[in-house]
Each structure stands twice: as C-alpha cells, then as structure tokens.
Amino acid sequence: MKLSILHVVRYSSLRDVTIDLKDLNLFIGTNASGKSSILDALRFLHEGVQERDFRGPVASRGGIVHLAWKGEEARQISLMIHLAEKNQEYEWSVLLTKDGYEFHVREEVYEVHSTSPPMQLLSSDRGTGWWWSGERQRVPLKQIPTGCALSAAAADATFPARRIAEFVGGWGFFDPSPFSLRRSWPGLESSRLDAYGRNLAERLSTLQKSSPEIFNHIVSGTQSVLGLPTEIQPRESEGRFYFAQMEPGLKYPVHQIGASSGTLRMLALMTALFGEPGSNLVGIEEPENHVHPTALAAFAEYLLKAKEWVQILVTTHSPLLLDFLNEPSAVCIVQRDEQGTRIVREANPEGVRQALEASGFGLGEFYETKGFGG
C-alpha cells in the first residue's frame, strides 16, 4: 500500500493544501514555510490510529485552538489521505470540529473505483456511526466523540479497510536529537525506534540479537557514510541499555555519551530506514543536520536504496542533498504567504534533468538559484 495524496485544510500553517506523493519526496523551502507541518499532519493521523483516540495527539500540540490555522477563525480542521494498493484505492477523511476548547471527530472511509461510484465503508460522527462488514453488513459503532473510528473498526478482521489502519500505524517519523541520543531513557516502547532516538541503544541491542544481518547493515552503512564506527557493542546494565563503539586509530571503545553528534544521528537515521521492519512510510527531518556535507553523497545512496521498499518523505535545506539524489520528480517546493503554505512540484522533471545534464549544474544548484523555495 502507498500513500498517494494528502489533502489538509486549516491544520497549522496548511490552510488548504493538496500534495501528490511518490516513493521519494523532498520538501525544500525557507524556515517556517511549512515543511515540518506536512510531516506533522501525517504524524497526527498515525498517532490517532495508534492511540485509538485523537484526544492525545490534539493535546500534545497545544489543544484544538493552537492546532488550527491562525489566519482566520477556524472551527474545523480537515485531513484526508488517498491510498492505493494494487487494484484497490481508498480514502480516509478526518474532520475535527471545535467546541469551545474541546472538539469532536467525524470520519469517513471510502473504497474508490475508477468505473463506478465510491463505496462507503465507514461513517462516524461524535463517536456514533457504523462500519461495513462483508459478513454482517453494517455494524453499529459507539465510542467517545474524539475516538478514532478507523482503529475501532479495524479491530475486527472482517472490516474490508483494515489494511488502512495497519498501514497508517506502520508510519515512522524521525528527527533524532543528539542530546536524546546520548542517554538511556527508560520506559519507552522498545519495539520501534523513538522519534527522537531516545531508545536507540535498546533498538540496536534488540536488532543485534533478533536480526544480526540488519544490525550489521546499519553499522556498516553508518561507517560507509562517516568513516566510523568500525564496531558497535550494545550493552545492558541494571535494565538500562547503552552502547560503545570502536573508532579507527583508538585502542579502547568510546561510550555512547562520548560519541559525536553526527555519528549518533546517522546511526539513528540508518536504524529508521533499515531497522524498522514494520515501517512502510518514513518521514525524516533535515538529515543534513550534524553531518559533514561530503558525507551526504553516501547517505543519498542509502535513501535511494531504501525507497525501493519504504515510502520516504524528507525535509531539507541542503542543496547538496538534492544534488546527490538528482531526482527532479521528487522535489516539492514549499512556500508560504498570507494564504498559508503552498506546495509546488516541478511540472517538467524530465526537462529539468535534461537541462541540468546539458549545463553541468546540479539539482540543488538549480533550486538555489530560484531562492530554494523562497
């Protein structure tokens, strides 16, 4: 299954945005243009499915008032995704309506057909509705007004759109922080890498035991990008995980807390791309941070490999990363004005590629001359 379209209305800086998504998507633009809001809108849907309730995701973003577009009084926030899997296509829409400082949710799921009208598979408003079952036809639904109806219906194996919940629940979003990466943070879920990398040591330890081939690929990949580490040694002490790493020219290992910011962040990004078997869509914030520009060429190669099995969304300020990826069709220019964020894809990517080959310019240089989305 692939995410093909995201449509968002009045969510954060996204006043009214429709984005066509591909296997690799590179969002470039100035600061505060709305790049992170795109990933956050998808993260919001992911968290709603995972928690089976939108109350937590709304609260963690400051409440419904602060989540909404600020350019006008916004009583409703709308998010819709279009998904495709082989010959099947679906749409899932979520409408948040503000009630003072509270809110309620309306959800709909459709199976979309090119030659016939769409078939509605789920409808819920304020927690009351129904979902379609191939065995029992319409099944009544009753839950709290902020609950995620898709998650509730997907608990039953007969719900024909169950795969949507599984797909959205498998998304991962990552902005590893060197401060968080240097420490062991107990009490976190250990089955997946944390968004900020706070359980990196535990994930590496788990992968070394359960999937040594993947573990070795993460370590060797990091080394090929940065030149180190030559070895990672996951360790555990009194229930707390950490790791030590061997570096060229050193006789003794370096503790996790003493590793460089770039090394820690690259280890986390490699784990996000290759060490999360359940992930099917990965969002990464500015992978160039803490990484030497010359190392981006090797990292770009790993991004291109990973897009063969996982859909990738990347925000970036780096012209060099675009140069090394050299994928004009992946570029989404993110701009913001008084009407909110706008996303524009290159209308003629093949023409851009041919022009760059003829001129000798790189893709990043091309967009840099245009203000890099500004």
Side-chain angles (χ1 to χ4, degrees), residues 297-354:
F299 179 69
E301 291 298 319
Y302 281 95
L303 279 177
L304 293 173
K305 289 178 184 177
K307 78 179 180 71
E308 298 300 321
W309 62 83
V310 64
Q311 201 169 2
I312 299 174
L313 293 80
V314 174
T315 68
T316 183
H317 289 285
S318 173
L320 277 177
L321 183 61
L322 267 64
D323 283 343
F324 297 137
L325 287 168
N326 195 30
E327 292 270 355
S329 63
V331 175
C332 301
I333 304 170
V334 184
Q335 301 170 318
R336 184 176 176 181
D337 56 25
E338 292 180 355
Q339 297 302 311
T341 294
R342 294 182 293 115
I343 292 96
V344 180
R345 277 196 182 272
E346 181 57 58
N348 184 11
E350 188 54 37
V352 170
R353 185 189 298 278
Q354 293 176 3

Side-chain angles (χ1 to χ4, degrees), residues 177-223:
S177 158
F179 174 81
S180 298
L181 289 165
R182 284 196 169 88
R183 289 159 175 81
S184 175
W185 301 77
L188 296 172
E189 181 188 359
S190 60
S191 62
R192 299 189 67 182
L193 180 66
D194 173 69
Y196 305 105
R198 292 174 295 181
N199 63 345
L200 176 62
E202 187 170 0
R203 285 298 298 144
L204 290 174
S205 177
T206 299
L207 288 169
Q208 186 188 43
K209 297 172 184 175
S210 63
S211 306
E213 184 177 345
I214 293 176
F215 171 82
N216 291 332
H217 186 66
I218 291 168
V219 177
S220 63
T222 304
Q223 183 184 19

Side-chain angles (χ1 to χ4, degrees), residues 3-6 14 17-31 33-42 173 281-288 303 311-319 321-322 325 327-335 341-345 363 367 372-374:
L3 175 62
S4 55
I5 298 174
L6 169 67
L14 310 177
V17 167
T18 300
I19 312 168
D20 295 321
L21 295 165
K22 304 180 183 297
D23 291 341
L24 176 64
N25 307 271
L26 305 170
F27 297 99
I28 66 172
T30 58
N31 290 331
S33 59
K35 300 185 300 298
S36 295
S37 293
I38 297 165
L39 297 193
D40 189 60
L42 294 172
F173 301 90
L281 180 148
V282 170
I284 297 175
E285 293 273 10
E286 299 176 14
E288 66 270 17
L303 279 177
Q311 201 169 2
I312 299 174
L313 293 80
V314 174
T315 68
T316 183
H317 289 285
S318 173
L321 183 61
L322 267 64
L325 287 168
E327 292 270 355
S329 63
V331 175
C332 301
I333 304 170
V334 184
Q335 301 170 318
T341 294
R342 294 182 293 115
I343 292 96
V344 180
R345 277 196 182 272
L363 184 63
Y367 283 108
F372 209 55

